Amino acid sequence: MPKVSDSYREARRDEIARAALRCIERSGFSDATIADIVRESGLSAGAIYSNFTNKAELARYIVAHFLGVRREELEAAGRRGEIRSPRELLLFMLAAYQDADVHGAVPLQFWAAAAVDPQLRAQLDETIDGIRSSLAVAIAPWAAAQPEPPEVARVVRGIMGLAQGYITFVTVTQGVDLDEYLAGVGLVVG
Amino acid sequence: MPKVSDSYREARRDEIARAALRCIERSGFSDATIADIVRESGLSAGAIYSNFTNKAELARYIVAHFLGVRREELEAAGRRGEIRSPRELLLFMLAAYQDADVHGAVPLQFWAAAAVDPQLRAQLDETIDGIRSSLAVAIAPWAAAQPEPPEVARVVRGIMGLAQGYITFVTVTQGVDLDEYLAGVGLVVG
DNA sequence: ACCTGAACACCGTTCAAGT
DNA sequence: ACCTGAACACCGTTCAAGT
């Protein structure tokens, strides 16, 4: 297959996925109908189905392409040996979603959908593994600099857990910023 | 209205809600169809619609009746002045969901649904406020016994945040128990 | 090769008819 | 008063016909 047509195809898929993302932000995953995505993208139902086999595959594409993080960016400082604390990395991840226009409730929609769709769950696992391995690179200098270096996997799990916890908490209970959230959490685990 | 018929009606609503809960656990909120609930309950579509105005009201009923906690139970020790640590209360809440047959992904389904349904969100806010005020009673003796007593609202926020975080984390990333989760979180906020 | 849009099967909801 | 189940409007998906 010629390169040009491959990249054309990929651009179309991206265009549809971004339209879907806007619909999902507004209506949630299940209530974002194909008709909505047709309207939002300006294409037709057939166009969507000639780029994705069905809504479930579109969901997996979004998880693969929009719910990951840009690995180079996250790993760069770590590779240079620069120290980034767990808290800074948590902030970095949350900011990365903001920049990528993956707002508020969107990740939560996919987590809920993945809980009942094994294929989507498998894709989400893969995406999360990618984030985890980048976080491991990013946190290594900090971990090594601790008086009693903690297990990297455990710190990574903590960052992921708090990212998911904060995103859920903020969606359910609006108006609590990250510092307040972490202060509350600190009183429980401290 | 006679008492008998009221309690009969309530029993019917409860019966339908429990059937719905089993469907939601299996298929998620949106994919749990009315036809599923009809099958699971052994009733008819009309029976469901003569007890709830629509699926959204059924969802609100479930949030009100199954996503709260039994307040007396949670508050009892606190009223007696017995000290329960934040961690013990977190465990207690998670165990209460288990006992009430509100398994794993179910709360996550409703949080995701509430993010895009204002009426469901309002009901969820009310239910969560109930939990929060019970937690405040339950944590008071512990807070008072601290060398530097923390703000009760902040501890309560921490417990709620970790409960939501853990439920989300466990649904997305299976096989991590609460201690491992809290240990990871501790490395980030500690 | 990709797209259009009408057509099909299914889901939420209603409502006439039953008890 | 509550229930039944067929009927209606809409959503995911397909497919013949277009470019």
Side-chain angles (χ1 to χ4, degrees), chain A:
Chain A
M1 298 179 205
K3 194 92 207 276
V4 179
S5 114
D6 266 16
S7 78
Y8 170 81
R9 190 172 175 78
E10 202 52 33
R12 250 291 131 93
R13 285 160 72 88
D14 195 82
E15 179 188 356
I16 293 166
R18 284 179 196 277
L21 221 30
R22 290 191 295 273
C23 297
I24 291 164
E25 191 183 331
R26 206 188 306 129
S27 318
F29 177 67
S30 300
D31 293 350
T33 67
I34 298 292
D36 287 341
I37 301 171
V38 165
R39 251 190 307 278
E40 185 76 36
S41 66
L43 299 169
S44 67
I48 289 170
Y49 280 88
S50 64
N51 281 281
F52 297 98
T53 56
N54 53 28
K55 199 182 172 188
E57 204 223 28
L58 172 56
R60 274 178 260 131
Y61 181 92
I62 292 173
V63 167
H65 290 77
F66 295 89
L67 254 51
V69 291
R70 277 186 291 271
R71 308 191 53 158
E72 326 80 56
E73 228 173 299
L74 188 52
E75 295 179 11
R79 291 202 190 286
R80 276 185 254 112
E82 291 170 26
I83 291 177
R84 297 281 183 272
S85 71
R87 201 187 181 107
E88 284 172 315
L89 289 175
L90 174 57
L91 254 161
F92 180 92
M93 279 185 56
L94 294 172
Y97 275 150
Q98 293 286 43
D99 292 348
D101 280 321
V102 175
H103 292 121
V106 170
L108 184 58
Q109 296 300 319
F110 284 94
W111 298 336
V116 292
D117 174 347
Q119 290 195 82
L120 187 60
R121 169 186 289 283
Q123 178 56 65
L124 187 62
D125 283 347
E126 199 178 299
T127 299
I128 287 177
D129 270 349
I131 299 175
R132 262 202 284 261
S133 69
S134 288
L135 278 178
V137 172
I139 201 64
W142 175 88
Q146 295 311 105
E148 291 182 35
E151 224 182 302
V152 164
R154 180 169 278 192
V155 187
V156 166
R157 189 190 299 137
I159 297 172
M160 293 295 294
L162 283 168
Q164 286 172 5
Y166 180 66
I167 287 171
T168 303
F169 192 74
V170 138
T171 306
V172 176
T173 311
Q174 282 148 319
V176 175
D177 72 24
L178 185 62
D179 286 335
E180 287 177 301
Y181 177 75
L182 293 178
V185 163
L187 288 170
V188 178
V189 299

Side-chain angles (χ1 to χ4, degrees), chain B residues 9 12 44 46-47 50-51:
Chain B
R9 189 172 176 78
R12 250 290 134 92
S44 67
S50 64
N51 281 281

Side-chain angles (χ1 to χ4, degrees), chain B:
Chain B
M1 299 180 207
K3 194 95 207 276
V4 179
S5 114
D6 265 14
S7 79
Y8 170 81
R9 189 172 176 78
E10 201 53 32
R12 250 290 134 92
R13 285 161 71 90
D14 195 81
E15 178 189 358
I16 293 167
R18 283 179 198 279
L21 221 30
R22 290 191 294 274
C23 296
I24 290 165
E25 190 182 331
R26 205 189 308 128
S27 317
F29 176 68
S30 300
D31 292 351
T33 66
I34 297 292
D36 287 340
I37 301 171
V38 164
R39 251 189 309 277
E40 185 75 37
S41 66
L43 299 170
S44 67
I48 289 169
Y49 281 89
S50 64
N51 281 281
F52 297 97
T53 56
N54 54 27
K55 199 181 170 187
E57 204 224 30
L58 171 55
R60 274 178 260 131
Y61 181 92
I62 293 172
V63 168
H65 290 77
F66 294 89
L67 254 51
V69 290
R70 278 186 291 272
R71 308 193 54 159
E72 326 78 58
E73 228 172 300
L74 188 53
E75 296 179 10
R79 292 203 190 286
R80 276 185 255 112
E82 290 170 27
I83 290 177
R84 295 283 181 270
S85 71
R87 201 186 182 108
E88 285 172 314
L89 288 175
L90 173 57
L91 256 162
F92 180 92
M93 278 186 57
L94 294 171
Y97 275 150
Q98 294 286 43
D99 292 348
D101 279 321
V102 175
H103 292 119
V106 169
L108 185 58
Q109 296 300 319
F110 284 95
W111 298 335
V116 292
D117 174 347
Q119 290 193 82
L120 187 59
R121 168 185 288 284
Q123 178 56 65
L124 187 61
D125 283 348
E126 198 178 302
T127 299
I128 288 178
D129 269 349
I131 299 174
R132 261 201 285 262
S133 69
S134 288
L135 277 177
V137 172
I139 201 64
W142 176 88
Q146 295 311 105
E148 292 182 35
E151 224 181 302
V152 163
R154 181 169 278 192
V155 186
V156 166
R157 188 191 299 139
I159 297 172
M160 293 297 294
L162 283 168
Q164 286 173 5
Y166 180 65
I167 287 172
T168 302
F169 192 73
V170 138
T171 306
V172 176
T173 311
Q174 282 148 320
V176 174
D177 71 25
L178 185 63
D179 286 335
E180 288 177 300
Y181 177 75
L182 293 178
V185 163
L187 287 170
V188 179
V189 299

